[in-house]
Amino acid sequence: MRSTLKTWWVKITHWEFWPFGVLYFPVYFYYLWLAFKCRSFFFFTAANPSIEFGGMLGERKSDIFKLLPADSYPETVLIAARDVQHALAAAEQIGYPMIAKPDKGERGKLVKKIENELQLIAYAKKCPVPFLLQAYVNYPVELGVFFIKPPGSEKGMVTSIVKKEFLTVTGNGTDTVYQLLQADQRAKLLYGFSKPENQTLLQHIPNKDERIIVEPIGNHCRGTQFLDNTKLASPELHAAFSRLTSKIEGFHFGRFDLRCQSIESLTRLEDFQILELNGAGAEPGHIYQPGFSLREAYRTILWHLKALAEISLENHRQGIPYWTFSAGLAKLKAIRTYNQLLNKKG
């Protein structure tokens, strides 16, 4: 009982763990003001003209990868829902391990690291929507880099860098992974202890000083710790992403989720791979740094939202249309239907 109360209290007093809707509720009022100024409820659809819905929600990852330079992302294959044979054929091409994830989806839903054929068959049989198989990138550093480039400008700015520290435990030779996780407040709040696929790992007893990555998917809601590295946004890094985005037609606002050898190699645009590119709906992930003030988080969110509106308005002045209210509403309904399908058990 005491442990439950402590967990509840941590969740209430640490905004990092608040539900998305609760955290963003005050932001919606500012959004309405920006929509009024832009004269469109769906103003953001003009921000990234080459990405469906501006990349706010429901965009196909497979379409976004087509926009990227061919050597900038890992080998990725689109698989139809529950198409086991195509998945197995793609695996022969990609190799294990690999990452499987829905072609449309947010916040790490149904994203899984696939280690072998049996896991792939199980995933393909159950996934109710088209999904991607992506070669696993083994570079040691995973980052989320937010980049903004005004329309008509060749230069942009890195506005956020978050380094991702995966949920891990260090063995003592006697306790199971489950017992080690019980001492981790973050794990107790975010990790899926009851999921059947986690049970084998949870019962494993690591050797003394053995480091086990419990959750290999770099998503905050799955236990990954986000660390603020925005101070590393050097002029050289601004210039590097300006060069990179010059090759991505119609992109002005969003976050690159990537893995790299180091910040130094990324600055040279060497030894890195883009795992995903998120558009208008992207967050500046560094705000989830433990201890980051709520006031500063809101200031950062609103600043980025204002930048999104300014980019959208400028693109609109240059002839890029906003989605109509009816088209935007239809898209939101389609996203709702899709998410219901995504949440169905296989």
Side-chain angles (χ1 to χ4, degrees), residues 149-205:
K149 185 167 69 173
S153 174
E154 295 182 358
K155 296 181 180 179
M157 177 172 63
V158 172
T159 62
S160 168
I161 302 175
V162 60
K163 183 179 180 182
K164 302 180 181 182
E165 293 287 349
F166 300 111
L167 181 62
T168 64
V169 294
T170 302
N172 56 19
T174 57
D175 290 338
T176 64
V177 170
Y178 175 83
Q179 291 170 321
L180 294 168
L181 284 172
Q182 287 300 304
D184 188 319
Q185 194 65 55
R186 173 176 295 274
K188 292 172 71 174
L189 283 165
L190 299 173
Y191 187 67
F193 287 97
S194 62
K195 292 181 179 179
E197 64 268 25
N198 294 342
Q199 298 313 304
T200 300
L201 174 63
L202 291 174
Q203 297 309 312
H204 174 65
I205 300 176

Side-chain angles (χ1 to χ4, degrees), residues 40-46 49 51-54 57 316 320-332:
S40 171
F41 188 78
F42 295 105
F43 65 85
F44 56 80
T45 56
I51 302 177
E52 183 185 8
F53 213 44
L57 290 166
H316 186 64
I320 296 170
Y322 300 136
W323 280 36
T324 64
F325 187 79
S326 59
L329 194 61
K331 175 66 174 177
L332 292 179

Side-chain angles (χ1 to χ4, degrees), residues 2-18:
R2 181 178 297 177
S3 176
T4 301
L5 286 173
K6 182 180 179 181
T7 300
W8 175 83
W9 180 248
V10 169
K11 195 168 186 178
I12 292 295
T13 57
H14 291 70
W15 69 265
E16 175 193 357
F17 302 112
W18 291 359

Side-chain angles (χ1 to χ4, degrees), residues 13-74:
T13 57
H14 291 70
W15 69 265
E16 175 193 357
F17 302 112
W18 291 359
F20 182 88
V22 173
L23 174 63
Y24 272 80
F25 181 75
V27 177
Y28 299 148
F29 295 100
Y30 185 60
Y31 176 87
L32 291 174
W33 166 244
L34 293 175
F36 173 77
K37 290 180 67 177
C38 293
R39 301 296 188 267
S40 171
F41 188 78
F42 295 105
F43 65 85
F44 56 80
T45 56
N48 299 309
S50 59
I51 302 177
E52 183 185 8
F53 213 44
M56 177 61 77
L57 290 166
E59 69 277 10
R60 294 182 181 275
K61 295 179 175 67
S62 55
D63 288 341
I64 294 178
F65 282 122
K66 294 175 184 177
L67 301 173
L68 304 179
D71 60 349
S72 68
Y73 64 93

Side-chain angles (χ1 to χ4, degrees), residues 161-279:
I161 302 175
V162 60
K163 183 179 180 182
K164 302 180 181 182
E165 293 287 349
F166 300 111
L167 181 62
T168 64
V169 294
T170 302
N172 56 19
T174 57
D175 290 338
T176 64
V177 170
Y178 175 83
Q179 291 170 321
L180 294 168
L181 284 172
Q182 287 300 304
D184 188 319
Q185 194 65 55
R186 173 176 295 274
K188 292 172 71 174
L189 283 165
L190 299 173
Y191 187 67
F193 287 97
S194 62
K195 292 181 179 179
E197 64 268 25
N198 294 342
Q199 298 313 304
T200 300
L201 174 63
L202 291 174
Q203 297 309 312
H204 174 65
I205 300 176
N207 295 325
K208 183 175 174 57
D209 298 326
E210 180 184 2
R211 188 171 178 267
I212 301 290
I213 297 178
V214 178
E215 176 54 75
I217 306 302
N219 192 278
H220 183 266
C221 64
R222 292 174 64 163
T224 298
Q225 188 169 176
F226 282 13
L227 303 178
D228 183 6
N229 276 232
T230 307
K231 63 184 179 182
L232 300 178
S234 64
E236 292 78 15
L237 195 63
H238 298 316
F241 274 83
S242 295
R243 295 196 304 275
L244 175 63
T245 54
S246 70
K247 302 175 183 178
I248 305 174
E249 182 180 357
F251 173 81
H252 298 284
F253 179 98
R255 188 188 69 239
F256 293 83
D257 292 332
L258 56 87
R259 298 195 79 159
C260 59
Q261 186 64 37
S262 65
I263 282 285
E264 292 74 22
S265 67
L266 182 61
T267 300
R268 300 190 301 271
L269 294 182
E270 297 174 353
D271 298 326
F272 80 100
Q273 293 279 271
I274 299 169
L275 308 180
E276 287 189 12
L277 173 58
N278 302 278

